Amino acid sequence: MTSRLSWLISIPLSIINTLSDMTESSPNKLLNGDICYRTSNGKQMTKNGFVKKTHCFFQQQPLKKYRRPGEKNQNVPYNASLYKRPFVEYFEETPLLVAVLTYMGYGILTIFGYLRDFLRHWNIEKCHVAREREEQRDFVPLYQDFENFYTRNLYMRIRDNWNRPICSVPGAKMDLVHRVSPDYNWTFQHTGQVVKDVINMGSYNYLGFAERTGACAEAALESTHKYGVGVSSTRCEMGNLDIHEEMEQLVARFLGVESAMAFGMGFATNSMNIPALAGKGCLILSDELNHASLVLGARLSGSTIRVFKHNNMQSLEKLLRDAIVHGQPKTHRPWKKILIVVEGIYSMEGSIVRLPEIIALKKRYKAYLYLDEAHSIGALGPNGRGVVDYFGLDPKDVDIMMGTFTKSFGAAGGYIGGKKELIDYLRIHSHSALYATSMSPPVAQQIISSMRIIMGEDGTTLGAERLRQLSENTTYFRQRLREMGFIIYGNKDSPVVPLMLYMPAKIGAFGREMVKRNIGTVVVGFPATPIIESRARFCVSAAHTREMLDTALAAISEVGDLLQLKYSRREQPLPSLSWTSEESLLQD
């Protein structure tokens, strides 16, 4: 260990700084109002020895003038007076040694990958991957070189961690089909055995509505008997049922908007509707961590796209100011429309959008706001109405409210809510509305039933109890993981909990070891995350009992010790924030 440390110390300072910068992904860099806290182990710390905590506070004072980029005193929360509740996010930087070893791991895998490709080329090793035929040698390659190389030499080694067949309802517990691979994950064979009662820590079942019993299941069954399982037509032809109309009216009332429209697929809700809202001569300002459906929709629209740093209001305001000042490229004419596109909860980071600040910027620069609440609707806010409810804001301040029914509601599809003029326009111009088959009636009934439970219109307090249980489970699970010494990303109220793994070999090892302990988890690597920031992503549910969480936490801690995943440099967990003053927190 001493020789390793002396070797690291001998690295030139410029190389160390370069590696430090590379380990700071965009969501990790200091954002507005971030404060660095030194670790309490008594050692002299370098840049990577800090723990970052982002927080904003409620202040009983008039609205401050919006802070300009580059102003001093950045320790003061950025436009903190807009927040009515504490806004706390943690992003601990990657330890330098871990970053170096991660790069070395990928380097070794790459070298062996090229060696295996050489052996395959000379037919020394059997090649399982699809290859171009001899008569197509002169064609442009169908696959990109690096993606194909990564798939056959890195992804295939740990492919058994994904696409596991489930043979039960994916609720708090589930049953997995056991399978084996005789050819190193190129193909799988089912053994006929079933792994029973696996604790499900990976599904987006935030409120526990993915169940086969209860009021929702019974209502969906009755709907199946009445309408069947499919409509076989589009909404504008013969597929518009009364249950669809009822669902859209309920969604509008739930969101607090004038009108709403539902679609059969959440991905298509973004990718097919953004092109109807923006086009040539329009500017889309997109968060760099936006979902692929948002990115695809923006590209299909033909608009000019500019990306701002994740949740960084200085970066967003700079783009807005430049857009107003300079206008369109070449002609410098004013943009026809400026559309800000963000998400409520970012599913890979566990962070929550800084919505109060974005709305303030939107109003200041006369832009439009497109909010994707796929993960936040039902999972945030005292009433389960998403990030707008979470911050106590007016839904009318968000121009386009988008969300999905695939997560908190245990159903399928997506929606867009807003002014009546907007929805009437989309009914005519949206490709998803005109050409896609109508939503299945049982799915629509599942949405109606679950939404009424959340709103309390079923005559019970079950919805309020589930919302409270989800909040308690999220706080408990996050706090325990931090106390164990893991690096956890995201907002303290986010039910999406990323646990950092970093090294490529630990991606597969973590998933396999957790399944051995009857815990179902999701491990994530490149290209869904930066190549050196692989992670395990847990999704907390209201259906999880305290005993389930304790069992999962004990298994995570055991595997963390086995794989040496407790990278955090904090000896003591940071104190949890309460309703307190800004001054006392800044003195922490």
Side-chain angles (χ1 to χ4, degrees):
M1 186 64 185
T2 305
S3 61
R4 182 182 294 178
L5 291 175
S6 62
W7 174 76
L8 284 174
I9 295 173
S10 65
I11 298 177
L13 182 61
S14 60
I15 298 179
I16 294 179
N17 291 335
T18 302
L19 287 172
S20 294
D21 292 337
M22 294 178 72
T23 59
E24 290 185 50
S25 64
S26 298
N28 293 355
K29 293 182 179 179
L30 289 180
L31 303 178
N32 341 299
D34 286 3
I35 296 179
C36 288
Y37 290 83
R38 291 186 179 273
T39 55
S40 56
N41 54 10
K43 297 180 181 179
Q44 184 177 0
M45 305 307 297
T46 60
K47 179 179 179 181
N48 285 55
F50 289 93
V51 179
K52 290 177 297 185
K53 178 167 65 177
T54 306
H55 48 228
C56 296
F57 315 91
F58 175 64
Q59 297 174 331
Q60 296 286 350
Q61 61 186 34
L63 185 67
K64 290 184 179 180
K65 183 178 179 180
Y66 208 86
R67 187 180 304 281
R68 298 292 184 182
E71 288 186 357
K72 296 182 179 180
N73 194 18
Q74 290 297 313
N75 283 342
V76 177
Y78 195 73
N79 212 12
S81 58
L82 294 174
Y83 290 82
K84 300 178 182 179
R85 58 179 300 154
F87 185 82
V88 186
E89 289 186 343
Y90 301 98
F91 293 103
E92 186 173 345
E93 294 179 10
T94 308
L96 181 57
L97 178 60
V98 175
V100 172
L101 294 177
T102 302
Y103 278 116
M104 289 177 59
Y106 277 106
I108 293 172
L109 284 173
T110 302
I111 292 173
F112 275 91
Y114 281 115
L115 176 61
R116 295 184 66 186
D117 280 351
F118 176 79
L119 297 177
R120 295 185 186 113
H121 178 74
W122 294 101
N123 295 323
I124 300 175
E125 179 180 336
K126 184 179 180 180
C127 183
H128 298 274
V129 72
R131 292 186 293 182
E132 303 289 352
R133 292 177 295 185
E134 289 296 330
E135 57 268 26
Q136 292 179 319
R137 289 293 182 183
D138 295 331
F139 281 59
V140 176
L142 184 60
Y143 306 107
Q144 295 185 12
D145 290 340
F146 177 73
E147 290 183 2
N148 200 18
F149 175 85
Y150 179 88
T151 299
R152 65 178 177 266
N153 292 307
L154 281 79
Y155 169 74
M156 281 297 171
R157 292 172 176 263
I158 55 177
R159 183 173 169 233
D160 56 301
N161 285 279
W162 294 281
N163 304 317
R164 288 194 179 101
I166 299 174
C167 55
S168 69
V169 174
K173 288 187 176 181
M174 59 186 177
D175 298 337
L176 297 181
V177 176
H178 186 262
R179 61 180 183 175
V180 295
S181 176
D183 51 7
Y184 301 100
N185 295 337
W186 286 99
T187 61
F188 293 97
Q189 297 176 358
H190 296 163
T191 63
Q193 301 177 357
V194 176
V195 184
K196 295 282 188 179
D197 295 330
V198 177
I199 298 178
N200 183 5
M201 297 300 301
S203 294
Y204 304 135
N205 185 25
Y206 297 127
L207 292 180
F209 283 115
E211 53 194 359
R212 62 181 180 182
T213 59
C216 293
E218 293 173 1
L221 181 59
E222 293 178 4
S223 176
T224 304
H225 289 307
K226 180 179 180 180
Y227 296 100
V229 295
V231 180
S232 303
S233 181
T234 63
R235 291 284 297 274
C236 61
E237 294 174 319
M238 299 297 293
N240 191 31
L241 305 180
D242 57 345
I243 195 172
H244 294 141
E245 300 281 350
E246 179 186 357
M247 175 187 60
E248 290 178 343
Q249 293 173 9
L250 182 63
V251 170
R253 189 154 48 86
F254 179 69
L255 298 175
V257 296
E258 294 180 7
S259 184
M261 184 178 182
F263 305 87
M265 181 181 179
F267 192 98
T269 305
N270 280 330
S271 59
M272 293 289 101
N273 283 291
I274 292 179
L277 297 170
K280 187 176 181 181
C282 298
L283 174 65
I284 294 179
L285 302 180
S286 177
D287 190 291
E288 65 179 344
L289 296 184
N290 276 344
H291 190 261
S293 60
L294 295 170
V295 175
L296 177 61
R299 291 176 177 174
L300 291 176
S301 70
S303 305
T304 301
I305 305 171
R306 291 175 184 167
V307 178
F308 61 92
K309 295 179 181 179
H310 173 57
N311 246 355
N312 192 309
M313 297 303 104
Q314 292 98 325
S315 176
L316 175 58
E317 184 174 20
K318 184 179 185 302
L319 291 179
L320 284 168
R321 294 176 65 190
D322 290 345
I324 298 299
V325 172
H326 300 294
Q328 300 183 41
K330 297 181 180 179
T331 64
H332 299 291
R333 293 177 180 175
W335 295 99
K336 295 179 180 178
K337 189 185 303 177
I338 300 178
L339 183 65
I340 303 171
V341 180
V342 294
E343 294 186 48
I345 293 179
Y346 290 84
S347 59
M348 289 298 167
E349 305 297 326
S351 58
I352 297 176
V353 66
R354 297 171 179 264
L355 191 59
E357 299 177 68
I358 290 181
I359 288 178
L361 283 173
K362 180 205 90 146
K363 292 180 177 180
R364 187 182 189 92
Y365 293 98
K366 304 298 187 293
Y368 294 96
L369 176 58
Y370 187 108
L371 175 63
D372 179 346
E373 292 213 80
H375 287 268
S376 55
I377 191 69
L380 284 182
N383 303 302
R385 296 176 180 175
V387 69
V388 177
D389 186 31
Y390 175 78
F391 287 111
L393 302 173
D394 188 350
K396 296 179 181 179
D397 289 334
V398 180
D399 301 287
I400 304 103
M401 299 184 69
M402 178 270 170
T404 63
F405 304 117
T406 57
K407 301 169 178 66
S408 295
F409 304 97
Y415 67 83
I416 284 184
K419 294 183 178 179
K420 188 176 184 303
E421 293 83 357
L422 168 70
I423 303 305
D424 290 343
Y425 174 85
L426 288 177
R427 292 188 191 278
I428 300 174
H429 294 85
S430 170
H431 290 273
S432 184
L434 294 174
Y435 302 113
T437 304
S438 300
M439 183 182 291
S440 174
V443 174
Q445 184 59 56
Q446 168 73 18
I447 297 167
I448 293 173
S449 301
S450 58
M451 192 169 291
R452 282 178 175 168
I453 291 175
I454 297 173
M455 299 172 69
E457 294 185 358
D458 62 332
T460 69
T461 60
L462 181 60
E465 292 172 2
R466 295 196 184 203
L467 292 170
R468 176 185 54 79
Q469 188 65 44
L470 175 61
S471 178
E472 292 179 359
N473 287 351
T474 297
T475 302
Y476 177 74
F477 191 74
R478 277 185 167 273
Q479 186 63 27
R480 284 293 308 277
L481 287 178
R482 287 171 54 78
E483 290 172 356
M484 291 176 184
F486 294 102
I487 294 182
I488 304 299
Y489 276 6
N491 191 284
K492 69 181 184 68
D493 294 322
S494 170
V496 179
V497 187
L499 184 152
M500 303 308 294
L501 302 176
Y502 297 113
M503 301 180 191
K506 296 183 180 182
I507 301 174
F510 185 85
R512 293 167 187 148
E513 291 295 329
M514 292 300 290
V515 170
K516 288 180 183 178
R517 292 160 176 79
N518 259 29
I519 310 294
T521 60
V522 173
V523 288
V524 189
F526 180 83
T529 67
I531 195 166
I532 70 159
E533 291 193 0
S534 59
R535 64 200 66 180
R537 185 185 62 180
F538 303 102
C539 294
V540 183
S541 171
H544 289 139
T545 63
R546 184 59 59 91
E547 291 75 20
M548 292 180 189
L549 294 180
D550 286 337
T551 301
L553 287 166
I556 294 169
S557 180
E558 182 181 348
V559 175
D561 291 331
L562 178 65
L563 301 180
Q564 298 182 1
L565 296 174
K566 298 179 179 180
Y567 301 118
S568 179
R569 299 193 176 197
R570 293 174 292 100
E571 287 191 349
Q572 299 294 331
L574 294 173
S576 59
L577 292 178
S578 59
W579 293 94
T580 183
S581 64
E582 174 182 342
E583 290 77 10
S584 62
L585 283 164
L586 290 177
Q587 294 172 2
D588 191 0

